[in-house]
Amino acid sequence: MTGIPALRACSFLLMMTALTSFSAARADDLSFDLSPEQPGRIHIERDEKAVAAIPKAFKFVTPGTLTVAVAPGGPPLATYATDARTVVGADPDIATAIADSLGLKLELVPVAWIDWPLGLTSGKYDAVISNVGVTEQRKEKFDFSTYRQGLHGIYVKLDSKVGSIKEPKDAAGLRFIVGAGTNQERILLEWSKENVAAGLKPLELQYYDDDAASLLALASGRADVIVQPHAQLVYIAARDKNIKGVGTLSAGWPDRSDVAVTTRKGSGLADALTVATNDLIASGTYGKILNQWHLAEEALPKSETNPPGLPRY
């Protein structure tokens, strides 16, 4: 799945602390701005077409304000800034642009990722912008306006001889680090079956207790490849400068799976959010936001309301 569950988010943050001793003093060493001021954050003018698409009967949690839940699970999607209080990242920037489009102020509400469904259905916030993937099961309770592709990153050591992994045959015989019970594991097991059926070597899957151990296994040569949510690995690669991307994998492989702004089912707000997002795409603002957080590979050609989602497995 594309969202980061609370336990994995905690593990990821602990890993970052253990490996880098990350602090405010180190923010300038990164190619990401994690300052609370966010001087490069993009603001736009009110989008009358998007405003007109808001149902007249829709009541915002706070009048004149778009209240958005976000889980600070780690950069570059959403994390606490160097003041340990302000939430920054790609998702907050998308939320800012959408609120501007609707002519509204933005209020970000930090939440644990696992808590967003209850908070949304109980009316604590108007929307969730926090790496929520569209699934058929979730569509029974929520509406979606897509804003990014749900991708897993395929990364190797910087000096690895593996140059590209795009399909199962490229992965034959390689040792993969993957999380147990994840969507990535499901896909890699399918790849391995395809390879065996084609007379190729299977994939060897390796499991580790946490992300720090996983990265150590890759660095030491005990494994060839690591597969995790793409955005996480983009940040790690920029920070550590010892791994590189050799491919991406759709969370819905073999189909595309998208990440979406999530709203209450039947609230009517989804269409306005889709209009706003498509206008951000058309104006180039959307691309600038993703580029700023090194997530251009996750760009969508257009936003859709309630597209096909991941099936039940």
Side-chain angles (χ1 to χ4, degrees), residues 79-158:
T79 190
Y80 286 108
T82 52
D83 64 355
R85 183 175 63 250
T86 306
V87 181
V88 300
D91 282 345
D93 281 5
I94 291 289
T96 297
I98 288 176
D100 286 349
S101 295
L102 299 179
L104 300 169
K105 296 179 182 178
L106 174 67
E107 181 180 356
L108 284 178
V109 181
V111 300
W113 199 89
I114 199 171
D115 292 337
W116 70 258
L118 180 59
L120 185 57
T121 55
S122 64
K124 289 184 178 179
Y125 24 83
D126 303 305
V128 178
I129 302 181
S130 195
N131 203 39
V132 179
V134 182
T135 71
E136 289 303 310
Q137 184 174 4
R138 288 176 183 156
K139 281 167 62 179
E140 295 172 4
K141 295 183 178 181
F142 305 102
D143 286 331
F144 294 96
S145 303
T146 58
Y147 70 98
R148 273 194 359 259
Q149 292 186 63
L151 294 181
H152 303 308
I154 305 174
Y155 277 65
V156 298
K157 287 175 60 178
L158 206 58

Side-chain angles (χ1 to χ4, degrees), residues 2-19:
T2 51
I4 306 172
L7 289 177
R8 286 189 61 78
C10 179
S11 174
F12 180 66
L13 290 173
L14 287 173
M15 174 271 292
M16 289 193 296
T17 302
L19 290 187

Side-chain angles (χ1 to χ4, degrees), residues 247-264:
T248 56
L249 182 62
S250 170
W253 183 89
D255 300 315
R256 197 179 80 196
S257 176
D258 295 338
V259 171
V261 182
T262 310
T263 50
R264 290 184 294 278

Side-chain angles (χ1 to χ4, degrees), residues 36-54:
E37 295 83 10
Q38 291 295 294
R41 177 169 286 166
I42 298 171
H43 287 276
I44 63 167
E45 298 297 321
R46 173 183 167 112
D47 180 347
E48 296 300 337
K49 187 167 64 171
V51 173
I54 302 172

